[in-house]
Amino acid sequence: MASDTLADAARADAEISGLDALEIAGRQKTTTRAVTIWASTWPKLAALAIAVGAWQVVVWAEVWPSYSLPGPGTVWQELVRQAGGAQLWDGLATTLRRAAVGYVFSVGVGLLLGLAVARFRVLRAAIGSMITALQTMPSIAWFPLAILLFELSEEAIFFVVVLGAAPSIANGVISGVDYVPPLLQRAGRNLGARGLNLYRYVIAPAALPAIVAGLKQGWAFSWRSLMAGELIVVGISQTSLGAQLTYARELADAPWLLSTMIVILVVGLGVDAAFGAADQAIRRRWGVLDQTGQ
Amino acid sequence: MASDTLADAARADAEISGLDALEIAGRQKTTTRAVTIWASTWPKLAALAIAVGAWQVVVWAEVWPSYSLPGPGTVWQELVRQAGGAQLWDGLATTLRRAAVGYVFSVGVGLLLGLAVARFRVLRAAIGSMITALQTMPSIAWFPLAILLFELSEEAIFFVVVLGAAPSIANGVISGVDYVPPLLQRAGRNLGARGLNLYRYVIAPAALPAIVAGLKQGWAFSWRSLMAGELIVVGISQTSLGAQLTYARELADAPWLLSTMIVILVVGLGVDAAFGAADQAIRRRWGVLDQTGQ
Amino acid sequence: ACGADDGAAAGGSGPVTLRLGYFPNITHAPAVVGVEKGIFAEKLGSDVTLETKTFNAGPAAIEAIFSGALDATYIGPNPTVNAFSKSRGEAIRVVSGAASGGVALVVKPEITSVEQLKGKKIATPQLGNTQDVALRYWLKEKGLTATKEGGGDVKVVPQENAQTVDTFSSGAIDGAWVPEPFVSRLINAGGKVLVDERDLWPDRKFVITNLIVSTKFLKAHPDVVRKLVEGQAAANEFVNTKPDESQQAISDHIGKITGKPLDVKLIKQAWPTLEFTNDPIASSLKTGLDHAVAVGLTQPVSLDGLYDLTYLNEVLKAQGKPEVAQP
Amino acid sequence: MTSTKTTPRSATGSVALHGVTKVYGQGEHAVLALDGVSLDVAPGEFVCLVGASGCGKSTLLNLVAGLDRVSGGRIELGDGVNPGLMFQESALFPWLTVEGNVDVPLKLRRLPRAQRRERVAELLRTVHLAEFGRKRPHQLSGGMRQRVALARTLALDTPVLLMDEPFGALDAMTRDILHDELERIWTERKLTVLFVTHNVREAARLADRIILLSSRPGRIIYSTPVDVPRPRRIDSPEIGSIAAEVTGRLRTEVGRHGQ
Amino acid sequence: MTSTKTTPRSATGSVALHGVTKVYGQGEHAVLALDGVSLDVAPGEFVCLVGASGCGKSTLLNLVAGLDRVSGGRIELGDGVNPGLMFQESALFPWLTVEGNVDVPLKLRRLPRAQRRERVAELLRTVHLAEFGRKRPHQLSGGMRQRVALARTLALDTPVLLMDEPFGALDAMTRDILHDELERIWTERKLTVLFVTHNVREAARLADRIILLSSRPGRIIYSTPVDVPRPRRIDSPEIGSIAAEVTGRLRTEVGRHGQ
Ligand SMILES: Nc1ncnc2c1ncn2[C@@H]1O[C@H](COP(=O)(O)OP(=O)(O)OP(=O)(O)O)[C@@H](O)[C@H]1O
Ligand SMILES: Nc1ncnc2c1ncn2[C@@H]1O[C@H](COP(=O)(O)OP(=O)(O)OP(=O)(O)O)[C@@H](O)[C@H]1O
Ligand SMILES: [Mg+2]
Ligand SMILES: [Mg+2]
């Protein structure tokens, strides 16, 4: 865990001779990489085992008919079957590409909007509250407008995604900027950072934790909006995860639905890992990582 | 703006005699309440005017047929007509009641989940990343499970709402707790706050800004999930905003759709005002409200 | 599945609750009128409590039937087939028909012949559903190609019905093969009927709505199902004999559920394209399935045992009406 | 009120460090902050720690307070003693008023409300901030914040007090007054105090014993009892000469490290 | 190197306060922190401010730095002068390393990279933290953080330096060394310095003039030139006697307010 603080802490030990250093190293608990990985893995495996076990027990108890709630085995088979074909991968690729593009758009719009609203009082008074209001607007409400503006193109999907995610990101930025410690802002101003430079050198980095939190929430919004938005244009030359989710439901195909849900969860886990790494890095820098002092 | 800091600042001016105080008051710009309200109102009105104006111009330009994009006047008439009848109010009442109940549930679950995950390392390793993954799961994916567990009751709707909002709130809590300054935690521990008390006296209040941000994002999730969830059963004895939104769309009734969207935006604005007030209060307490020092 | 015993509709002689689903929709007219006019309640009698549930799309209704949260529902042919085949013939039975017709291909007025469809975009409600299959099969018969992915001579664009009016009027699509009331709406948005699907079927009849019950409920409470079918027949009678009153009832009922009464003019406009019949027109379902196989959208499935029309025929017989052929 | 205070007053107040070592970080980038520090503080003793900037004084107090884990050696405290630590930075809770901050340790000890209110008022009088109870930390000056932190630490009512430059931000006059207050409380409550300061005169004014830490790694290199009878005055010549002696040692030590 | 430093060196370095008043808050809860403070600091002058805790010293520096607005009166600075303020708290950016913190003002002045690197290294040597460039603020001791903040303020290269208890957390020895460094830089760069301290000896050691502020509301009640030739030694008797004089005044003033 602490291995990076150390990388940073370099050079400070000029006065510790080689021998001293050896001695110190001996005194420390040396946690190997394998141990660290195992420590973060076994709880996941345990949680998975508990979840799957409970599921299997419910299925065995035959509370619901198997076409309504298939067992883990059935779903696993379905997943394997899907993984063997091209449709799942095509759909996943399409959706991930759209998600990436839509999210990048959303981040751009959200960051700009957030910074602008946080910075200009008039803008905040004018549209500050509108941001949350927009955030609560369900995606389907935007479909007609999206079609009006972009017809049946991917842009229509991106429009819905951006309207879903950007307000959330902007809100993260605003709340981050609002809570930047005044002392640091004053320090920055005194060091000559005014206007944009104050944002670049002080406010943005100070607000980073809240911004990352907002980006994470924004991802969830953008992904959900995408799943909905993908129904605007279904099957124009490509399938998508959102369409598969809907079809699975339409066809009352429970194993397919569950396996699609698993795919979505796995994607979510992957994205969370990325955000987790970013967060970890920030916390290490800021010195809030290990509260008990190594 | 600063009027409350003052309320707190009481008693400190024992040495300032009445006369002095008068003199001081004279030197300050006395901003009356009306001026303050106007300062925060005119930008909103201006933004509204610009938005409605642009809309009207597009309609006049007849880019799209009027049944596709009706003008502000038509929508306003529709809104007035709706407001005159009982359906809109019934639907709004039903939806707001469900939103309140669902949100309270979500807050309870989200706070507990967030605190538990933030506190227990094993739990975090086990299900920490699952929270974001759950957050990205579209509401419709939960419908079958909701129906399985709760049949066609309101509980099924709440289930979908909680699954949508609780992860978002939990994520807010986790990111807040993670960034509590270590110094304050140490201070709390040294003052005798251990275990739950540390959470009550130090971590929770220190994380409050991030928690409020999470609650705000959670509201957006819960509201959107509710709009979707209300379609599980569109109701016979009671109509709902979610149903109205969907039917307005299905009936291609653009004025109705737009007027329903306006209702949703107004609700969103109201909720944002509540969160804004909470946020304002926290920032005032923390002394981050007025960066330039009154 | 578990036994015939079911929480909400416990067997035996005690009071039974029948949970009936339907859509607030013109193709579900018998259901809507039956509920609105109290016809079901009257036929079911005092020892059966009627609980109605309204849905806006098939999946939730099927999920509810599967999970035991619903006993019977009016539903379209597509979810019917899906529910039957996915439960391997276990979950449901069709006990009556409800409506036929009401589907058409509406196109831009400048399109007047099949040939002109080349290179155009035509919407259907959903990939592989009845209308989608009908369009593709029809195109195939006319010698036009249309791939699943939206390629070929005619680009078939599956999309939610709610969206077709928007896409049609914005010019994103050139036509749509859809059921009522979207046919009427597209016409109002400047469209023109190119094909009335009735013309493609024997006797101008094909199923658009039928009544299904869960097998469990059927086994546990056959008498209740008979009363339900009686109610359905009575509702159809009402709809067919008092169209004006029915249209008003539909408008009011939809208003109650959705928050805004449906325009009676629109109902009147759509009315003649529909036929309300107790016959589930099993043959059309079977043929539709064959067509789906023919255009490569599905694997053949067996529909054996889907229909249980004994109650319907009992009711019809009692009323002295011609019975329906059990397929 | 004399140096006989080094004799035990209460068994619970003792603090003993045995070869305490503290390493920050791991592996080749580790920093050895304390190296084999052994120290016995008798119950009721007032010990002042002095040393160059960065020599490990705060580290030592943090270890005694149990807020960090030792890397080697061990620390013994009386049974159930939770030493109160006044941090080098003020560490006030920004969401609470001054009163609220001082109230926290009392609340945590579940004292009844009336008693708490009384105690808070008394403590704020002790640090001369009686009228500032309703202010929030950001409305105070640096020295005022330090005094609030002092009041909060005193509210802990523990037998062992660890103080990290508690009077660094105070003017001479206010500091002198607080010296008297601290000495009074120390006598009344028979406290054990570990006090870090850069002001050697202050150390001589307050301490029973002054301990000098060397620069990184921190080791005890000098320890001297202050045998001046109390009450003492900070500008008295005896204090001055002791301070001069310690300063001399400090200079040699800091000079040795080339600072 | 003598008190002739009070004569103008550079027109840009002057600081003039005319009847400056500062009120925190509004209406009946207002706090009058400064009341009609007038002060003329000549370019190149080194002025030390002393006063009781909470008397308005930090407020005054913040006003001169332009970080707060005056409630009355006016402050005049040389054209385009942006005074560098070293805050009472360290105010380091936690997301940057020590080097990164010192680098910020250089980056903001768009100096080329090589020059910046050199300058940072030089400044860190000045504050005796050359080996700590890659550490982060939370890995430093209190005194080390203060020195980093000093280096960062010096990196501003402004003609007017405002320092709020810059050496409060340093041991005597390190402080003496930094006194010398500061005096050297002041001479070399012909700086104007406003220096807040609680250590009256320190004030006498450094200042051309010492100014005493009264307790709330802050008013200038005493001002004395320090006519001791430089180089000075903090423990020299001349410095001692001036310090004693100022301390006496301070005591009377603080006593008057009952603190
Ligand atoms: N969290 C940490 N990580 C790495 N090194 C640390 C950490 N905390 C302290 N150090 C290092 O330990 C040494 C001792 O620090 P400490 O804070 O105990 O010094 P100090 O004696 O209190 O100094 P000062 O008088 O300046 O407050 C310093 O060299 C510092 O850099
Ligand atoms: N933001 C604020 N709001 C209200 N009052 C304030 C604020 N900042 C300072 N004050 C008050 O102004 C007075 C002067 O504060 P200032 O920080 O200038 O004192 P100081 O002379 O620097 O004291 P110290 O030596 O303790 O740092 C104090 O009484 C303080 O309570
Ligand atoms: Mg320290
Ligand atoms: Mg100050």
Side-chain angles (χ1 to χ4, degrees):
Chain A
M1 245 171 326
S3 65
D4 253 58
T5 323
L6 306 170
D8 288 342
R11 286 165 223 206
D13 39 358
E15 46 261 87
I16 301 177
S17 72
L19 242 171
D20 265 7
L22 263 180
E23 198 190 342
I24 293 163
R27 278 182 231 155
Q28 304 277 114
K29 276 173 277 153
T30 37
T31 40
T32 64
R33 204 168 166 73
V35 170
T36 317
I37 292 176
W38 175 241
S40 77
T41 308
W42 77 257
K44 285 186 187 42
L45 295 177
L48 191 66
I50 292 172
V52 172
W55 176 9
Q56 183 64 68
V57 165
V58 172
V59 171
W60 276 335
E62 292 194 5
V63 183
W64 292 290
S66 71
Y67 49 80
S68 200
L69 184 76
T74 319
V75 173
W76 179 249
Q77 273 166 23
E78 171 71 22
L79 197 58
V80 169
R81 207 183 58 69
Q82 294 267 342
Q87 186 178 308
L88 172 67
W89 299 113
D90 287 354
L92 192 58
T94 307
T95 298
L96 284 180
R97 185 179 51 71
R98 286 175 180 165
V101 176
Y103 188 59
V104 166
F105 263 106
S106 308
V107 169
V109 174
L111 289 181
L112 280 181
L113 186 66
L115 286 175
V117 167
R119 171 134 195 234
F120 301 109
R121 251 163 219 256
V122 174
L123 218 54
R124 178 184 292 233
I127 59 167
S129 356
M130 208 59 201
I131 292 178
T132 308
L134 279 181
Q135 220 181 333
T136 59
M137 185 65 70
S139 296
I140 60 153
W142 294 120
F143 285 7
L145 190 59
I147 292 166
L148 223 53
L149 292 173
F150 301 102
E151 308 213 325
L152 290 178
S153 60
E154 283 211 328
E155 281 77 31
I157 300 180
F158 294 145
F159 178 75
V160 172
V161 169
V162 170
L163 275 170
S168 164
I169 293 167
N171 260 338
V173 172
I174 294 170
S175 104
V177 170
D178 282 354
Y179 282 97
V180 171
L183 181 65
L184 296 186
Q185 287 205 46
R186 287 161 162 256
R189 277 164 60 206
N190 186 253
L191 293 176
R194 312 262 156 164
L196 270 189
N197 272 336
L198 189 65
Y199 275 78
R200 177 166 161 209
Y201 287 104
V202 182
I203 297 181
L208 203 57
I211 293 177
V212 169
L215 287 175
K216 202 162 149 182
Q217 304 266 10
W219 169 260
F221 272 106
S222 91
W223 181 261
R224 287 173 140 221
S225 303
L226 180 61
M227 293 288 104
E230 286 192 324
L231 302 182
I232 295 181
V233 204
V234 173
I236 289 201
S237 79
Q238 45 203 347
T239 173
S240 68
L241 224 52
Q244 290 181 22
L245 194 69
T246 308
Y247 279 151
R249 254 193 97 213
E250 298 269 1
L251 297 178
D253 192 335
W256 189 17
L257 179 69
L258 284 165
S259 70
T260 309
M261 285 174 77
I262 289 173
V263 171
I264 291 174
L265 284 180
V266 169
V267 171
L269 289 175
V271 172
D272 183 76
F275 279 110
D279 199 56
Q280 196 78 347
I282 299 173
R283 281 161 67 204
R284 186 167 290 138
R285 279 177 156 217
W286 284 55
V288 288
L289 189 60
D290 205 349
Q291 308 287 5
T292 53
Q294 311 88 345
Chain B
M1 245 172 324
S3 62
D4 252 59
T5 323
L6 306 170
D8 287 341
R11 288 164 218 210
D13 39 358
E15 47 261 271
I16 303 180
S17 72
L19 242 172
D20 265 6
L22 264 181
E23 196 188 342
I24 292 164
R27 275 182 232 155
Q28 303 278 115
K29 277 173 280 156
T30 37
T31 40
T32 65
R33 207 171 164 70
V35 170
T36 318
I37 291 176
W38 176 239
S40 77
T41 308
W42 77 256
K44 285 187 188 40
L45 295 177
L48 192 66
I50 292 172
V52 173
W55 176 9
Q56 184 64 67
V57 166
V58 172
V59 171
W60 277 332
E62 291 192 8
V63 185
W64 294 291
S66 70
Y67 53 81
S68 224
L69 184 75
T74 320
V75 173
W76 179 249
Q77 274 167 24
E78 171 72 20
L79 197 60
V80 169
R81 209 185 57 66
Q82 293 266 342
Q87 303 285 3
L88 172 67
W89 300 113
D90 288 353
L92 194 59
T94 307
T95 298
L96 284 180
R97 183 179 51 72
R98 286 176 181 166
V101 176
Y103 188 59
V104 166
F105 263 105
S106 307
V107 169
V109 174
L111 289 182
L112 280 182
L113 184 67
L115 286 176
V117 167
R119 172 131 194 237
F120 303 108
R121 249 164 220 255
V122 174
L123 218 54
R124 178 184 291 232
I127 59 167
S129 356
M130 208 59 201
I131 292 178
T132 308
L134 278 181
Q135 218 181 334
T136 60
M137 185 66 70
S139 297
I140 60 153
W142 294 120
F143 286 6
L145 190 60
I147 293 171
L148 218 56
L149 292 173
F150 300 102
E151 308 212 323
L152 296 171
S153 61
E154 281 211 330
E155 280 78 30
I157 299 179
F158 294 145
F159 177 75
V160 172
V161 169
V162 170
L163 274 171
S168 165
I169 293 168
N171 259 338
V173 172
I174 294 170
S175 105
V177 170
D178 282 353
Y179 282 97
V180 171
L183 181 65
L184 296 185
Q185 288 204 46
R186 286 160 164 256
R189 277 165 60 205
N190 186 253
L191 294 175
R194 312 262 156 163
L196 270 189
N197 272 336
L198 190 65
Y199 275 78
R200 176 165 162 211
Y201 286 104
V202 182
I203 296 180
L208 203 57
I211 294 177
V212 169
L215 287 175
K216 202 162 149 182
Q217 305 265 9
W219 168 260
F221 272 107
S222 91
W223 181 261
R224 287 173 142 223
S225 302
L226 179 61
M227 293 288 103
E230 288 192 324
L231 301 181
I232 293 181
V233 211
V234 286
I236 170 71
S237 57
Q238 44 197 0
T239 174
S240 67
L241 222 52
Q244 292 181 17
L245 191 71
T246 306
Y247 280 101
R249 219 187 126 226
E250 293 216 332
L251 301 178
D253 189 335
W256 187 19
L257 178 68
L258 284 165
S259 69
T260 309
M261 284 174 78
I262 289 172
V263 172
I264 291 175
L265 284 180
V266 170
V267 171
L269 288 176
V271 171
D272 182 76
F275 278 110
D279 199 55
Q280 199 75 351
I282 299 173
R283 281 161 68 204
R284 187 167 290 137
R285 278 176 155 217
W286 284 56
V288 288
L289 190 59
D290 206 350
Q291 309 286 6
T292 54
Q294 312 88 343
Chain C
C2 43
D5 216 58
D6 169 52
S13 53
V16 179
T17 304
L18 169 67
R19 295 161 303 175
L20 174 67
Y22 62 95
F23 301 2
N25 194 321
I26 189 169
T27 53
H28 286 232
V32 175
V33 172
V35 171
E36 179 72 12
K37 293 289 171 191
I39 297 168
F40 289 119
E42 182 201 324
K43 295 289 176 192
L44 286 168
S46 55
D47 26 323
V48 180
T49 317
L50 177 67
E51 244 180 47
T52 53
K53 310 276 183 190
T54 45
F55 299 89
N56 88 312
I62 295 301
E63 282 153 9
I65 292 254
F66 276 12
S67 67
L70 199 65
D71 304 314
T73 187
Y74 284 84
I75 203 149
N78 242 46
T80 304
V81 174
N82 290 334
F84 187 73
S85 68
K86 288 302 177 225
S87 64
R88 275 166 248 95
E90 266 182 46
I92 57 149
R93 295 289 179 268
V94 174
V95 293
S96 173
S100 153
V103 180
L105 169 62
V106 185
V107 293
K108 289 182 175 166
E110 57 266 28
I111 300 172
T112 52
S113 70
V114 184
E115 291 73 45
Q116 281 172 283
L117 288 176
K118 260 201 178 149
K120 296 288 190 300
K121 282 187 192 158
I122 306 295
T124 60
Q126 184 204 326
L127 182 66
N129 95 327
T130 336
Q131 286 87 34
D132 190 61
V133 168
L135 170 63
R136 287 170 198 274
Y137 188 75
W138 179 75
L139 288 173
K140 193 177 166 199
E141 289 206 311
K142 301 289 174 194
L144 295 171
T145 59
T147 67
K148 242 206 283 196
E149 289 75 30
D153 296 333
V154 176
K155 295 175 179 36
V156 178
V157 194
Q159 57 176 238
E160 286 180 279
N161 284 334
Q163 201 170 295
T164 41
V165 182
D166 287 329
T167 44
F168 185 74
S169 50
S170 75
I173 55 169
D174 303 288
W177 192 294
V178 283
E180 287 289 2
F182 297 98
V183 173
S184 302
R185 268 206 206 98
L186 287 177
I187 293 169
N188 295 347
K192 201 179 81 347
V193 174
L194 186 65
V195 178
D196 185 335
E197 196 179 330
R198 284 181 295 184
D199 299 335
L200 308 179
W201 292 93
D203 298 337
R204 291 171 54 89
K205 275 188 185 177
F206 63 96
V207 63
I208 184 74
T209 310
N210 54 29
L211 174 61
I212 64 173
V213 296
S214 86
T215 318
K216 236 185 339 178
F217 190 83
L218 182 62
K219 282 204 188 111
H221 307 286
D223 48 325
V224 178
V225 173
R226 176 180 337 184
K227 289 179 189 161
L228 174 65
V229 174
E230 252 176 63
Q232 151 61 24
N236 253 4
E237 183 79 32
F238 188 99
V239 168
N240 284 325
T241 52
K242 299 177 186 162
D244 289 339
E245 204 175 323
S246 300
Q247 287 156 12
Q248 190 57 50
I250 291 169
S251 169
D252 293 348
H253 193 77
I254 289 177
K256 262 189 237 166
I257 289 163
T258 65
K260 196 175 179 181
L262 189 58
D263 193 355
V264 181
K265 267 195 298 208
L266 194 75
I267 303 176
K268 280 200 191 308
Q269 186 183 347
W271 202 257
T273 68
L274 283 157
E275 184 183 338
F276 301 103
T277 162
N278 298 320
D279 184 354
I281 321 169
S283 60
S284 74
L285 199 67
K286 179 81 186 67
T287 311
L289 211 52
D290 292 343
H291 291 173
V293 174
V295 295
L297 278 175
T298 184
Q299 305 297 316
V301 289
S302 161
L303 294 181
D304 294 346
L306 172 59
Y307 292 91
D308 186 344
L309 302 179
T310 41
Y311 307 101
L312 177 63
N313 282 330
E314 277 174 39
V315 170
L316 291 177
K317 197 169 161 192
Q319 295 177 357
K321 290 188 182 149
E323 291 178 31
V324 173
Q326 176 95 22
Chain D
M1 288 263 192
T2 68
S3 62
T4 56
K5 291 239 174 59
T6 42
T7 56
R9 288 161 170 247
S10 136
T12 56
S14 72
V15 176
L17 287 80
H18 303 286
V20 167
T21 297
K22 176 66 188 176
V23 184
Y24 285 107
Q26 269 177 313
E28 49 166 336
H29 298 305
V31 174
L32 186 58
L34 289 177
D35 190 15
V37 172
S38 295
L39 176 64
D40 248 307
V41 184
E45 198 180 7
F46 199 126
V47 172
C48 281
L49 281 171
V50 295
S53 174
C55 75
K57 304 179 294 294
S58 301
T59 302
L60 194 142
L61 294 197
N62 273 298
L63 291 175
V64 174
L67 296 175
D68 271 342
R69 285 189 296 269
V70 297
S71 310
R74 109 197 107 76
I75 294 175
E76 276 167 21
L77 292 170
D79 269 356
V81 169
N82 171 28
L85 170 58
M86 184 179 157
F87 294 83
Q88 193 166 6
E89 307 89 357
S90 73
L92 297 179
F93 300 130
W95 55 87
L96 295 176
T97 59
V98 165
E99 278 171 356
N101 267 285
V102 179
D103 204 19
V104 167
L106 306 175
K107 265 190 185 153
L108 283 165
R109 291 213 313 282
R110 298 174 187 286
L111 297 189
R113 179 184 285 267
Q115 199 177 328
R116 279 185 359 232
R117 202 188 329 236
E118 208 171 283
R119 195 69 219 286
V120 168
E122 182 202 319
L123 283 164
L124 287 182
R125 274 197 304 277
T126 305
V127 296
H128 293 263
L129 286 173
E131 326 102 77
F132 288 87
R134 295 302 178 100
K135 295 257 180 185
R136 300 200 173 266
H138 71 273
Q139 297 173 313
L140 302 182
S141 80
M144 290 159 121
R145 280 201 281 268
Q146 210 170 29
R147 284 180 278 158
V148 176
L150 174 64
R152 192 177 66 173
T153 311
L154 290 176
L156 257 176
D157 271 333
T158 111
V160 179
L161 218 53
L162 311 171
M163 311 181 85
D164 204 347
E165 297 188 46
F167 305 134
L170 298 181
D171 60 290
M173 180 73 193
T174 310
R175 199 187 54 212
D176 288 354
I177 295 170
L178 289 179
H179 284 166
D180 294 344
E181 292 283 359
L182 179 61
E183 200 171 46
R184 181 180 61 74
I185 293 166
W186 170 64
T187 316
E188 272 177 24
R189 297 210 221 142
K190 307 191 193 335
L191 300 174
T192 309
V193 181
L194 236 90
F195 189 105
V196 168
T197 180
H198 285 309
N199 188 331
V200 183
R201 265 179 184 272
E202 181 174 70
R205 157 75 183 81
L206 291 169
D208 292 326
R209 184 153 51 120
I210 298 178
I211 287 183
L212 184 58
L213 282 184
S214 67
S215 293
R216 269 164 298 121
R219 290 199 188 91
I220 295 180
I221 46 165
Y222 179 71
S223 164
T224 178
V226 183
D227 285 325
V228 180
R230 302 177 193 258
R232 303 168 180 168
R233 287 192 47 238
I234 198 165
D235 42 13
S236 74
E238 300 102 300
I239 297 296
S241 74
I242 290 176
E245 160 74 12
V246 175
T247 308
R249 295 274 178 174
L250 186 64
R251 254 173 231 278
T252 333
E253 169 54 24
V254 176
R256 194 173 62 75
H257 269 76
Q259 293 229 12
Chain E
M1 289 265 194
T2 67
S3 61
T4 57
K5 292 238 174 57
T6 42
T7 55
R9 288 159 171 247
S10 136
T12 58
S14 72
V15 176
L17 287 79
H18 302 286
V20 167
T21 298
K22 176 66 188 175
V23 185
Y24 285 109
Q26 270 178 311
E28 49 167 335
H29 298 306
V31 173
L32 186 58
L34 288 178
D35 191 15
V37 173
S38 294
L39 175 64
D40 247 308
V41 184
E45 199 181 5
F46 199 125
V47 172
C48 281
L49 281 171
V50 294
S53 175
C55 75
K57 305 179 293 296
S58 302
T59 302
L60 194 140
L61 293 198
N62 273 299
L63 292 175
V64 173
L67 295 174
D68 270 343
R69 284 189 298 267
V70 297
S71 309
R74 111 198 107 76
I75 295 176
E76 277 167 22
L77 293 170
D79 269 356
V81 170
N82 171 28
L85 170 58
M86 184 179 158
F87 294 84
Q88 194 166 8
E89 307 89 356
S90 73
L92 297 181
F93 300 130
W95 56 86
L96 295 176
T97 59
V98 165
E99 278 172 357
N101 268 284
V102 178
D103 205 18
V104 168
L106 305 176
K107 265 190 186 152
L108 283 165
R109 292 213 314 281
R110 297 173 188 285
L111 298 189
R113 179 183 285 268
Q115 200 177 328
R116 274 175 15 222
R117 202 186 335 233
E118 209 171 282
R119 194 69 218 287
V120 167
E122 182 202 320
L123 284 163
L124 288 181
R125 273 196 306 276
T126 306
V127 298
H128 293 262
L129 287 173
E131 325 101 78
F132 288 88
R134 296 301 178 101
K135 295 256 180 185
R136 300 201 174 266
H138 72 273
Q139 297 173 313
L140 301 181
S141 79
M144 289 160 123
R145 278 200 282 267
Q146 211 170 27
R147 284 181 277 159
V148 177
L150 174 63
R152 192 176 65 173
T153 312
L154 289 177
L156 257 175
D157 271 333
T158 112
V160 179
L161 219 51
L162 311 170
M163 310 181 85
D164 204 348
E165 297 188 45
F167 305 136
L170 297 182
D171 61 289
M173 180 72 192
T174 310
R175 200 187 52 211
D176 287 354
I177 296 169
L178 289 179
H179 284 165
D180 292 344
E181 293 283 357
L182 179 61
E183 200 171 44
R184 180 179 61 75
I185 293 167
W186 170 65
T187 316
E188 270 175 25
R189 297 208 219 144
K190 307 189 193 335
L191 300 174
T192 310
V193 180
L194 237 91
F195 190 105
V196 168
T197 181
H198 284 309
N199 187 329
V200 183
R201 263 179 186 273
E202 180 174 71
R205 157 75 184 81
L206 291 170
D208 292 325
R209 184 152 52 119
I210 297 178
I211 286 182
L212 184 58
L213 281 183
S214 68
S215 293
R216 269 164 299 121
R219 290 196 189 94
I220 295 180
I221 45 167
Y222 178 72
S223 163
T224 178
V226 183
D227 285 326
V228 181
R230 301 177 193 260
R232 302 168 181 168
R233 287 192 49 238
I234 198 164
D235 42 13
S236 73
E238 301 101 300
I239 297 296
S241 73
I242 290 176
E245 161 72 14
V246 175
T247 307
R249 294 274 177 173
L250 186 64
R251 255 172 229 278
T252 332
E253 169 53 24
V254 177
R256 194 173 64 74
H257 269 76
Q259 292 229 11

